Amino acid sequence: FLIRVQKHPCLYRHLLYCQLFVWVVKEEVEEEEELRQMQADIWTFSHSVRQSMCTRKLQPLDLTGMVYGSQTLTGWARTNLDRHTIRCPMLNEPSAAFFALYDGHHKSMAVNHVHAKLLDCISQALKKGSEVRQAVSMGMTHCDNLYIQSPTVLTDDRFGSGSGAIVVMVQMGTLFTSNLGACRAVLCKGAEAEILSRDHVATDERES
C-alpha cells in the first residue's frame, strides 16, 4: 500500500485531506459533547440549589431587643403636626416590626386620625391573610375611607387638613416601604445611604 501511495501522490494528498477532515470533525464532536455535558452539569447544579432553597427552612429574624429611636421637631410651625408609630415586635411576632411617620398639614385632625387608625387597618388586612404589600395598600385605603366617611369631618375639619405618611415594615427578614406625600425613607449602612421611597409631589412629572 505504501508503494502505491508513493506512486500516486494525488492519492496520498487525498488521504491526508481525509485524515485532516476526520480529525476536525472529531474535535467538533468532542466540543459538542463537552458543551452538552457542561449544560447538563449547570442544570443539575441549579436544580439542586432550587430544591435546597425550597426545602430548607429559614430561621425567622428575631427583632426582639432591636435598638431604635425617633425624634420630631416643630420647626417654624406654630404647632407640631408630626406623629409617629413604632411597634417592634409587631402583632406579637418577633420577626415583624412596624415603623411609620405621619406628616400633618394645616390642622391636626387628619394626622391624629392616621396616627390612631393606620396600624390597626394594616393589621386587620394582615390577619385576613393578605400579603404585606397588599395589606399596606389596603390599610392605607381603608384608613382614608374611614376619615372621609366620618360623620363629623365636614363640620370639624371643614377647612381641610391632611397628612402624608411613610411606612416601613420588616417581616421575615424582608423590608417593605410605602409612602404617600413628601415623606421619605433612607436606608443607611456605614457611610452609604440608599433612598427607599420616592416623593409624591405635584412638581414631579411622573405624577401628572
Side-chain angles (χ1 to χ4, degrees), residues 111-163:
V111 69
N112 287 340
H113 169 82
V114 176
H115 182 227
K117 298 293 184 181
L118 182 58
L119 176 57
D120 292 337
C121 293
I122 295 175
S123 299
Q124 290 175 11
L126 288 172
K127 290 178 180 178
K128 292 179 180 179
S130 299
E131 188 263 340
V132 174
R133 282 174 287 193
Q134 184 182 12
V136 173
S137 177
M138 293 172 59
M140 286 185 167
T141 302
H142 183 48
C143 181
D144 190 55
N145 291 335
L146 288 177
Y147 186 72
I148 295 174
Q149 297 168 4
S150 173
T152 60
V153 68
L154 294 179
T155 56
D156 297 341
D157 195 17
R158 56 182 177 175
F159 295 107
S161 64
S163 176

Side-chain angles (χ1 to χ4, degrees), residues 54-82:
C54 293
T55 57
R56 184 178 59 181
K57 294 183 179 179
L58 298 176
Q59 293 295 327
L61 182 65
D62 191 349
L63 300 177
T64 304
M66 184 177 69
V67 178
Y68 54 83
S70 63
Q71 183 180 19
T72 176
L73 302 174
T74 304
W76 293 100
R78 294 182 179 180
T79 58
N80 192 336
L81 298 179
D82 294 337

